[in-house]
Amino acid sequence: MRILITGGSGFVGSLLCQRLHEKGHELLVVSRNPGRAQAKLPPRTEIRPEIHNFAENQPEAIVNLAGDSIAEGRWSEAKKQRLIDSRIETTNALVELCGQLKQPPRCLISGSAMGYYGDRGDEEITEQSPAGNEFIAELCQQWESAAQQAEDYGVRVALVRIGLVLDRDGGSLAKMLPAFKMGLGGTLGSGKQYMPWIHREDLIRLIVFLLENEKLGGAFNASAPNPVTNAEFTRALAAKLSRPAILPVPELALKLIFGEMSRVLLTGAKMKPQRLQESGFEFKYPELEQALSEIFDKQTA
Ligand SMILES: NC(=O)c1ccc[n+]([C@@H]2O[C@H](COP(=O)([O-])OP(=O)(O)OC[C@H]3O[C@@H](n4cnc5c(N)ncnc54)[C@H](OP(=O)(O)O)[C@@H]3O)[C@@H](O)[C@H]2O)c1
């Protein structure tokens, strides 16, 4: 298939492109910096700076992963606008492209995040659970609504509400590792907040599963079936690294340092991938210990 990917140069997108290339797909990647993106992408990937640059290429499927980084720095008004624009404008442009193509793509697999559900304590969350009402929850709703407009052109739309993506060379784990390796890791706030997580390899596998399964549309929780609390995650990571993790980071300190962005660290939802499991998707790494072992054993191999 000829597949158009936004965010293809990112932590998730670059591994997705590698896997799709290995499966023999033709890749069209949108990147603001094609030169820089090229180094991260498989040979023969067509890279262009704007979505409409691909109007002549007739993509048969689209994967939408572009977006300014959510868990990075304080959320000034300008940063919040960037978080919104980088997702909504990109998604609107993809829908516009679907309307321009002689033959619309078969599907649009579009990113979203666990933040869709907001702060939900230990309530079990499935795709039927209602959305939250804070900034990220509203952003995710707007992002999903924008993607769903592609259905007007007969495109199958699948929305992936992604949990914390784990792998060695990027994402949140790479940010946590220096402190944990020095024995300075610790729970964030109460540690009771849920952290739905997913091994990057499983996220790529499920995106491919959604690309290939013509009947699957709507929202899918993209996280492992066994979510853990922040305290459980902290214990598991420290144990894997054979380091203590006895220095909790107080809620107030995180609020002072990160402002509103601290919500991402201090709140969560016990998200379960109900629809993926009902659809027959099998996680390779359903348990956190397994995922961490794979990641760290691979690192030292
Ligand atoms: N990683 C996670 O744990 C996680 C969890 C939940 C949801 N997600 C979502 O999944 C998607 C992929 O995540 P990721 O970890 O791969 O993200 P990432 O590594 O930060 O990559 C995101 C990509 O989006 C593009 N981008 C960044 N800022 C942009 C802007 N202002 N305007 C347009 N494009 C921009 C970049 O491509 P170029 O620089 O090449 O243009 C970048 O490669 C993101 O939308 C993220 O919010 C990720």
Side-chain angles (χ1 to χ4, degrees):
M1 261 195 304
R2 197 171 314 111
I3 306 176
L4 173 64
I5 299 146
T6 72
S9 64
F11 175 54
V12 176
S14 54
L15 185 63
L16 174 69
C17 287
Q18 198 180 312
R19 293 288 177 267
L20 292 173
H21 172 74
E22 286 159 10
K23 283 172 140 293
H25 295 292
E26 189 183 325
L27 305 179
L28 313 169
V29 167
V30 183
S31 170
R32 294 165 300 165
N33 189 332
R36 199 178 50 196
Q38 195 165 30
K40 300 180 184 169
L41 292 166
R44 296 188 299 283
T45 303
E46 191 82 46
I47 311 168
R48 297 188 187 157
E50 304 280 351
I51 287 167
H52 65 80
N53 297 146
F54 288 111
E56 301 301 312
N57 296 64
Q58 285 295 323
E60 295 159 279
I62 302 177
V63 182
N64 180 25
L65 295 170
D68 191 83
S69 181
I70 289 175
E72 212 167 75
R74 289 176 74 93
W75 291 345
S76 62
E77 283 311 307
K79 167 79 176 175
K80 279 181 162 181
Q81 202 55 52
R82 244 188 350 265
L83 292 173
I84 298 169
D85 292 347
S86 59
R87 290 174 173 79
I88 309 304
E89 287 175 6
T90 303
T91 309
N92 286 341
L94 287 173
V95 172
E96 206 174 299
L97 180 78
C98 291
Q100 288 165 355
L101 296 172
K102 283 188 215 101
Q103 175 73 47
R106 277 185 253 167
C107 63
L108 164 62
I109 314 299
S110 195
S112 181
M114 55 194 166
Y116 174 92
Y117 298 107
D119 186 19
R120 302 299 277 268
D122 55 9
E123 180 190 346
E124 199 160 293
I125 296 294
T126 70
E127 290 83 355
Q128 283 73 48
S129 305
N133 55 12
E134 50 192 277
F135 173 69
I136 288 299
E138 285 166 6
L139 168 57
C140 288
Q141 288 171 76
Q142 280 183 59
W143 193 9
E144 294 189 6
S145 302
Q148 274 167 323
Q149 303 302 311
E151 289 174 352
D152 292 349
Y153 301 106
V155 178
R156 172 174 63 91
V157 177
L159 306 159
V160 278
R161 295 180 182 155
I162 304 173
L164 189 74
V165 185
L166 302 181
D167 210 343
R168 56 182 163 167
D169 50 6
S172 299
L173 199 52
K175 288 185 199 147
M176 294 174 202
L177 272 186
F180 272 82
K181 281 185 174 165
M182 287 191 285
L184 299 173
T187 51
L188 304 177
S190 73
K192 289 182 184 159
Q193 67 278 28
Y194 268 88
M195 287 174 65
W197 60 274
I198 184 165
H199 191 300
R200 184 166 60 150
E201 200 68 53
D202 269 338
L203 178 57
I204 303 312
R205 291 175 61 247
L206 76 83
I207 292 174
V208 172
F209 179 80
L210 292 171
L211 277 168
E212 290 174 348
N213 280 269
E214 302 279 339
K215 291 199 175 76
L216 298 181
F220 293 88
N221 289 344
S223 57
N226 299 298
V228 295
T229 63
N230 172 264
E232 288 165 337
F233 185 91
T234 302
R235 270 198 299 278
L237 181 57
K240 183 84 297 228
L241 298 170
S242 308
R243 294 283 190 283
I246 46 173
L247 295 171
V249 189
E251 183 170 330
L252 184 63
L254 289 168
K255 284 183 175 162
L256 287 172
I257 298 168
F258 295 113
E260 192 181 352
M261 198 282 272
S262 64
R263 297 285 298 165
V264 172
L265 308 171
L266 292 167
T267 67
K270 191 177 181 185
M271 183 166 89
K272 296 274 191 163
Q274 183 173 292
R275 291 200 63 223
L276 276 169
Q277 291 192 298
E278 282 170 2
S279 311
F281 179 78
E282 285 183 21
F283 285 83
K284 198 167 166 188
Y285 305 101
E287 301 282 350
L288 181 62
E289 281 72 17
Q290 271 176 298
L292 292 178
S293 292
E294 195 286 333
I295 290 166
F296 291 105
D297 295 350
K298 185 167 68 178
Q299 195 167 33
T300 50

